[in-house]
Amino acid sequence: MQAHARARRALFVAAIVGLAAIRGEASPDDRARGTAASSGRGPPDAAEPVTDYTLRARLDVDTHVIRGEGTILFRNRSPRDLPELWLHLYLNGFKNQSSVFLRDPIGGFRGTAPVTEWGYVDVKRLVWKRPDGDVDLSRAIDTHAADPTDETDARVALPSPLVAGAEMTLEMAWEARLPQVVERTGHAGSFHFAGQWFPKLARLEPSGTFAHFTFHHLAEFHADFGSYDVTIDVPKTFVVGATGPRLSERLEGERRVVRHAQSSVHDFAWTAWDRFESREDTVDGVKITFLSPPGYDAAVRREVDAMRFAIPHYRARYGRYPYDVLTVVYPPESAREAGGMEYPTLITTGGHWWGPPGVLDLELVTVHEFGHQYFYGLLASNEAEHPFLDEGLNSWAEARALEAWRGQGSLVRLLGLEVSDHAVQTVGRAHVHDARVGQPARAFALGAQYGGLVYGRTATLLETLRRVYGTPAMDAAMLRYATEQRFRHPTPEDFLRVIAASISPEAAATLRLGLFDHGWVDFAVSDIGSHPLRPAAGVFDRDGKRETVERAPDLPGRFGGSVLVTRRGTLSFPVDVELWSEDGTSTRVAWDGKGEATRIPYEGSARLVSVVVDPDHKILADQDFTNNFAGTRRDRLPRLLERLTHAAEQVLLTAAP
Amino acid sequence: MSEPVPAELAAIRARRHPLLVVVGWGWFALLGYFAATPFHAIARHAYGRHPRADSVLFEAGAYDLLELALKSEGALPAAVAAAMALLVLVSLAGHVPLAMAMTQLAFREEGRRRWLPLRTLAARALEVFLRFLGVWVLALLAKGVLVTLGIWLGSVLARNRAEAWGWARAEQAGLVVVALFAIGATAIHVTEDLARAEIITTDARFASAWTRALAVMTARRGAPVLAWAWRALVGGVAVVVVLVLVPMFPVGVAGTLLALLAHQLAVGLRVALRASWLCFALRGARARAPAEVEISPQ
């Protein structure tokens, strides 16, 4: 009976949310649920709901088992009748060593620690609530439909198709055992992080097929938008953080029962720990709750500063953050793998309590995970198939934000050393020839390639576009993409279309090459020469007469010469070439970068002594900066020698007897 | 040639040996230059022809500095290996100039005010070399064991108390344990120099030198540690000050010269403080030494 009531409520909520979305404004109920009304201009503030979850979860902190029950209201918005459903049971990735997650030998990224406690999710009951009677689907669940040994991607054959445009209510009960934190989710002592903790419907594509996939080591997630109304039941000493605003909280004997709800999201995560310390702040109308272990006050202060910068910055660049709340979770050291992850309105950070203030790693991870509220949360691209669309774009946005906030020392600003996040991201080019940037996460052979290409190379390509084609054009493109595609699950083509329209078709073509075809570029100075000018000597036929001009002395104070600049690779960008004369003056020449090489002539009052291609580092995608210059003489680099000598002296003074 | 005799206590002062401090500074400057040369050569090969020369490696953003590090991936290990080899060599052979310096500080030659003959110093240094080496090896082992033990105990404490106290508090407690063991290692470091002073001043054998040094530490209730510590602290502050100041200097020749001056002043100060500390140790040994101890002229 209770289940029926919840189902009805879910239907009612879904109807209200759907109506509000169509009208472009939100109901009072939605406001309470964290979805503010649309301003009428700019991006929509609510998504068209496809799946609404009404769940109840009870956590046993001793066995780390979550017992859940609830309903899913699912709408078939595709033009096809559906003979099946696909359920993601991600926790089964930690069930045994035959899962795709554990059997694929992929290292070099996150989640490489051995599983010391297995995790799993068992669907205990799955019932299709129909007017003509309930249909038990429990026996129709085939957990090996996608893979003979993996159990994370389950097919549910329907006894009769769900017709196009119809909706269905599924009633379910399940038991989820959290593993010790291996990758993102799990427990460490009494700390619990529940991500991907419930049976979750795969996303229904507009074509009428489900975007389903086994849980892969490198892949993240993809789901339909909808509303989540979740009641969480934990021991009363535990502090809970969860997606969406808290609608209620009460004590029932020795238990604490909290209810969170959020519409226009595509996932729900929560955490519970009896050691959390909580701090709240409000930025730009968003109530932020910071949950952290005891003794991390300094780290939380840094997070607060980062969020105070990030929310207005991202609003200006990618549209308003449409939710009323955000929870920032700092997992304990023992659960560090739960850190650095994003869920709708909830992000996790992490690191040491003693991080040096000049190293902005905590700021980076905080800004990065908040950025995912856009490049994952609101845009909701397919993270498994096109990871560059969320991680890559978000890495660029993160570096752009940090540079706007902290300047060139956006990652390290310590004792005169200023290291830019953009500079660090360029290391991804080391893998350019190993794999395509724009391929599915599961196609990467190594975590290092995935990290270097998806995060770093994408960001470097985008930053190169910004520097070459200008900040206004790039910002306009990203704003347009982020607002037009909000709640729309964009594909790479959607993104490239915006780049073509907002910057240029040429820029989009270049980006396509870089993302999907190992596109690379290496500008190099291949030759430099300079000599005194003198009148040309030899035999000349002029005005019908033959004239012999003898060799003349050099013209005083006039020098000629040339440099040969080559462009290797498949990408082309316009580039500046800077010519330096012996008298210390320099001139710049622009090259459209279209050919394979260009010879640039020189004439001046002093000898040409050196040349630099791309002196402002606009082409960050360049494979090799060390061949971007040439000179006729080699400097002794006294400043560097002085610094190195001093460093060595101090080491010797400390270590030697 | 007159015989070297023990210097008066008042004469065993670093300020009485400014030239020795300058020589010590020169020694470390020369070694520093040698150690830096492979790294500098790599950078010069890659960036020597850039029109902005080494300025480009110090530019904000560190694009070229990172590029240099990445592109030198193959060469850097060789340079590091060369620097490490130099460090090991200096750690071993460095006992000779150290013994020469300590002898110069602790003795004087009849009739000559300042310098003992180089031959005398060298002979004395070679004579005590094995004992110095033994003191160094034993102290190194003891310090290594102590620090390792401290780190291990600290991490065990942090791990075991993390659940009850939280990681931050538990790690802070663990750091206190590490710090306590580090103080112990510092005490050994100080005793090591006291033992060297005993060898130089009283010609003590290896075991006797340690015994005497430990007796000094016990009798003076750790006062030598304080004497060593304030000098180390002043030296450390000088290093931090130049690390903060130098990046503010202008780019160019003037800036480089200013940086050179500031850095070498810091190095010189540390050398002077080291000499001052060694004098402290030598004075302590001299005060307890039998009057007849002398070194043989060669």
Side-chain angles (χ1 to χ4, degrees):
Chain A
M1 195 59 197
Q2 267 191 329
H4 282 290
R6 277 196 297 274
R8 278 200 303 276
R9 174 165 174 72
L11 273 168
F12 173 74
V13 168
I16 296 293
V17 170
L19 185 64
I22 292 164
R23 292 176 58 192
E25 60 184 35
S27 69
D29 194 33
D30 289 329
R31 280 186 185 282
R33 286 156 177 268
T35 304
S38 168
S39 61
R41 301 173 71 180
D45 279 346
E48 186 177 52
V50 176
T51 48
D52 292 336
Y53 293 79
T54 305
L55 308 175
R56 183 181 175 91
R58 181 183 171 89
L59 173 66
D60 182 330
V61 295
D62 296 321
T63 60
H64 316 298
V65 168
I66 299 168
R67 291 184 179 81
E69 59 181 18
T71 59
I72 306 174
L73 173 63
F74 171 63
R75 303 164 184 85
N76 178 6
R77 295 196 186 278
S78 82
R80 289 177 51 185
D81 296 350
L82 301 177
E84 63 186 16
L85 303 174
W86 284 87
L87 275 178
H88 283 142
L89 306 171
Y90 293 118
L91 279 182
N92 284 340
F94 309 104
K95 187 174 182 180
N96 55 53
Q97 291 178 319
S98 294
S99 70
V100 169
F101 180 88
L102 290 176
R103 74 181 186 222
D104 282 357
I106 294 174
F109 199 61
R110 63 185 301 170
T112 52
V115 180
T116 53
E117 289 180 35
W118 308 111
Y120 56 80
V121 55
D122 289 335
V123 181
K124 301 289 188 185
R125 190 174 79 249
L126 184 67
V127 175
W128 183 358
K129 307 295 286 183
R130 299 209 306 193
D132 57 344
D134 295 354
V135 177
D136 188 353
L137 298 175
S138 305
R139 291 177 181 278
I141 301 172
D142 179 3
T143 55
H144 294 296
D147 185 277
T149 60
D150 185 277
E151 298 178 52
T152 60
D153 190 14
R155 178 176 179 269
V156 183
L158 298 178
S160 58
L162 178 64
V163 297
E167 61 185 35
M168 72 191 304
T169 299
L170 295 167
E171 190 178 279
M172 64 178 179
W174 77 96
E175 188 173 288
R177 188 185 190 284
L178 297 175
Q180 186 151 26
V181 174
V182 178
E183 185 168 77
R184 304 185 184 101
T185 188
H187 74 90
S190 60
F191 170 82
H192 292 78
F193 195 94
Q196 317 304 331
W197 56 284
F198 58 94
K200 189 177 175 188
L201 276 176
R203 181 177 180 246
L204 179 62
E205 301 279 22
S207 62
T209 57
F210 282 91
H212 64 94
F213 36 81
T214 54
F215 182 33
H216 187 270
H217 185 89
L218 297 175
E220 293 185 299
F221 312 103
H222 189 40
D224 272 310
F225 281 100
S227 65
Y228 286 77
D229 186 335
V230 180
T231 302
I232 301 164
D233 178 344
V234 298
K236 72 175 183 183
T237 54
F238 277 59
V239 176
V240 174
T243 293
R246 180 163 299 177
L247 299 189
S248 67
E249 178 170 10
R250 64 181 188 278
L251 294 179
E252 291 181 359
E254 293 302 305
R255 307 289 294 182
R256 179 183 303 278
V257 181
V258 300
R259 181 173 160 234
H260 284 247
Q262 181 66 61
S263 58
S264 298
V265 292
H266 47 74
D267 200 2
F268 188 100
W270 56 281
T271 182
W273 194 28
D274 54 355
R275 304 297 306 273
F276 269 136
E277 290 185 351
S278 180
R279 171 180 172 166
E280 289 186 352
D281 198 16
T282 299
V283 180
D284 223 15
V286 180
K287 184 181 143 193
I288 311 175
T289 303
F290 297 88
L291 298 176
S292 64
Y296 283 67
D297 302 357
V300 171
R301 279 196 296 277
R302 290 172 61 184
E303 289 182 332
V304 170
D305 288 345
M307 289 312 308
R308 285 178 181 168
F309 165 78
I311 290 183
H313 174 88
Y314 277 76
R315 170 171 45 77
R317 302 218 182 286
Y318 315 111
R320 198 173 70 85
Y321 175 77
Y323 308 109
D324 292 339
V325 295
L326 179 75
T327 300
V328 182
V329 180
Y330 199 114
E333 292 270 339
S334 53
R336 193 182 293 179
E337 237 307 320
M341 186 54 192
E342 68 282 1
Y343 304 91
T345 80
L346 185 149
I347 60 175
T348 66
T349 60
H352 293 293
W353 52 269
W354 43 263
V359 180
L360 306 180
D361 55 340
L362 181 55
E363 286 79 359
L364 184 149
V365 73
T366 306
V367 170
H368 180 92
E369 303 310 338
F370 173 70
H372 273 306
Q373 295 302 310
Y374 292 81
F375 303 104
Y376 150 78
L378 295 169
L379 288 158
S381 54
N382 187 331
E383 295 187 289
E385 287 297 314
H386 314 296
F388 84 88
L389 274 182
D390 57 293
E391 293 298 354
L393 269 60
N394 187 44
S395 292
W396 175 79
E398 149 221 308
R400 178 108 174 78
L402 288 173
E403 187 173 277
W405 186 24
R406 296 295 181 99
Q408 287 295 308
S410 57
L411 189 56
V412 175
R413 185 186 289 271
L414 199 60
L415 300 172
L417 180 67
E418 292 186 29
V419 181
S420 160
D421 191 14
H422 287 305
V424 174
Q425 289 173 339
T426 64
V427 301
R429 67 194 159 177
H431 301 289
V432 161
H433 304 300
D434 299 338
R436 290 181 298 119
V437 176
Q439 65 187 20
R442 63 181 174 278
F444 287 92
L446 292 172
Q449 291 174 6
Y450 172 78
L453 293 173
V454 169
Y455 288 69
R457 184 63 176 173
T458 308
T460 297
L461 288 168
L462 294 177
E463 181 62 8
T464 299
L465 291 189
R466 182 182 79 81
R467 293 180 183 207
V468 170
Y469 295 101
T471 299
M474 190 65 191
D475 283 351
M478 293 303 286
L479 178 63
R480 181 172 172 182
Y481 170 70
T483 53
E484 278 186 4
Q485 297 297 325
R486 182 177 281 201
F487 302 126
R488 290 179 182 273
H489 308 283
T491 64
E493 289 307 317
D494 294 320
F495 180 59
L496 290 169
R497 200 162 35 245
V498 171
I499 294 292
S502 299
I503 302 179
S504 72
E506 183 188 30
T510 302
L511 186 57
R512 183 186 295 280
L513 265 179
L515 292 171
F516 294 103
D517 203 14
H518 304 273
W520 66 286
V521 66
D522 180 19
F523 286 104
V525 178
S526 297
D527 186 38
I528 177 171
S530 186
H531 50 79
L533 282 179
R534 62 178 66 159
V539 179
F540 297 91
D541 295 320
R542 292 172 181 155
D543 301 329
K545 293 180 183 173
R546 175 154 293 185
E547 184 182 342
T548 300
V549 178
E550 299 299 326
R551 291 181 190 278
D554 298 342
L555 293 172
R558 299 303 300 164
F559 293 87
S562 68
V563 295
L564 180 65
V565 178
T566 55
R567 180 186 60 81
R568 302 160 184 160
T570 54
L571 303 180
S572 75
F573 297 97
V575 68
D576 291 333
V577 180
E578 193 172 70
L579 307 175
W580 284 78
S581 307
E582 198 165 25
D583 59 7
T585 60
S586 66
T587 54
R588 285 199 178 189
V589 179
W591 179 35
D592 63 11
K594 296 223 182 284
E596 290 181 340
T598 185
R599 186 169 283 281
I600 300 170
Y602 168 81
E603 188 175 333
S605 57
R607 191 181 293 271
L608 175 69
V609 289
S610 54
V611 57
V612 193
V613 186
D614 189 25
D616 300 326
H617 284 313
K618 287 182 177 173
I619 321 292
L620 285 190
D622 194 324
Q623 285 293 107
D624 187 353
F625 295 161
T626 63
N627 61 13
N628 283 22
F629 52 87
T632 54
R633 65 182 69 147
R634 198 186 291 274
D635 192 90
R636 297 199 62 81
L637 309 187
R639 188 177 175 192
L640 184 69
L641 179 62
E642 190 278 321
R643 297 291 199 282
L644 288 169
T645 302
H646 175 243
E649 283 174 298
Q650 293 294 358
V651 170
L652 287 163
L653 263 168
T654 306
Chain B
M1 185 183 292
S2 56
E3 292 184 1
V5 295
E8 299 80 21
L9 281 180
I12 308 177
R13 296 277 179 187
R15 60 175 174 270
R16 296 285 188 92
H17 299 270
L19 205 53
L20 186 67
V21 171
V22 171
V23 170
W25 163 79
W27 166 249
F28 280 103
L30 195 66
L31 290 175
Y33 175 79
F34 287 150
T37 296
F39 297 97
H40 177 251
I42 292 169
R44 192 165 177 240
H45 176 75
Y47 274 87
R49 295 189 190 279
H50 197 290
R52 294 204 295 280
D54 48 12
S55 294
V56 78
L57 298 173
F58 292 88
E59 282 175 0
Y63 291 95
D64 285 284
L65 190 62
L66 283 177
E67 182 74 352
L68 175 62
L70 284 174
K71 290 291 184 293
S72 309
E73 203 177 12
L76 274 180
V80 170
M84 291 305 293
L86 181 71
L87 182 60
V88 171
L89 188 70
V90 169
S91 297
L92 296 173
H95 289 100
V96 172
L98 176 64
M100 290 169 74
M102 291 179 77
T103 304
Q104 178 62 44
L105 289 169
F107 291 88
R108 65 182 173 81
E109 193 182 23
E110 293 284 10
R112 292 179 62 172
R113 283 200 61 200
R114 291 189 181 275
W115 290 90
L116 292 173
L118 197 60
R119 200 175 55 175
T120 304
L121 292 174
R124 179 62 178 157
L126 291 174
E127 190 185 328
V128 302
F129 177 73
L130 283 179
R131 278 176 279 169
F132 262 44
L133 204 58
V135 166
W136 177 71
V137 168
L138 184 63
L140 195 65
L141 286 174
K143 286 185 283 188
V145 167
L146 214 54
V147 170
T148 306
L149 193 64
I151 291 171
W152 179 71
L153 283 175
S155 59
V156 166
L157 175 73
R159 271 201 309 275
N160 287 342
R161 302 312 301 165
E163 188 66 24
W165 298 346
W167 268 98
R169 300 274 180 274
E171 284 192 334
Q172 285 155 12
L175 281 179
V176 169
V177 171
V178 174
L180 289 174
F181 277 80
I183 290 171
T186 302
I188 292 172
H189 188 70
V190 169
T191 312
E192 177 187 358
D193 276 338
L194 296 180
R196 287 183 180 124
E198 294 290 344
I199 291 170
I200 290 294
T201 310
T202 68
D203 202 24
R205 299 291 96 187
F206 174 76
S208 172
W210 274 110
T211 310
R212 285 164 178 262
L214 287 169
V216 170
M217 284 290 277
T218 312
R220 302 195 59 187
R221 296 179 182 175
V225 174
L226 286 179
W228 177 89
W230 76 255
R231 290 172 174 90
L233 186 68
V234 171
V237 168
V239 171
V240 172
V241 166
V242 295
L243 282 177
V244 172
L245 277 182
V246 165
M248 301 175 188
F249 292 170
V251 176
V253 175
T256 301
L257 287 175
L258 272 175
L260 178 70
L261 182 66
H263 283 148
Q264 296 313 313
L265 277 175
V267 171
L269 178 63
R270 284 193 70 189
V271 171
L273 288 164
R274 173 102 174 110
S276 168
W277 155 245
L278 289 174
C279 286
F280 177 94
L282 289 165
R283 284 199 303 276
R286 167 73 66 238
R288 291 159 46 87
E292 70 277 10
V293 172
E294 289 179 5
I295 59 171
S296 311
Q298 303 294 312

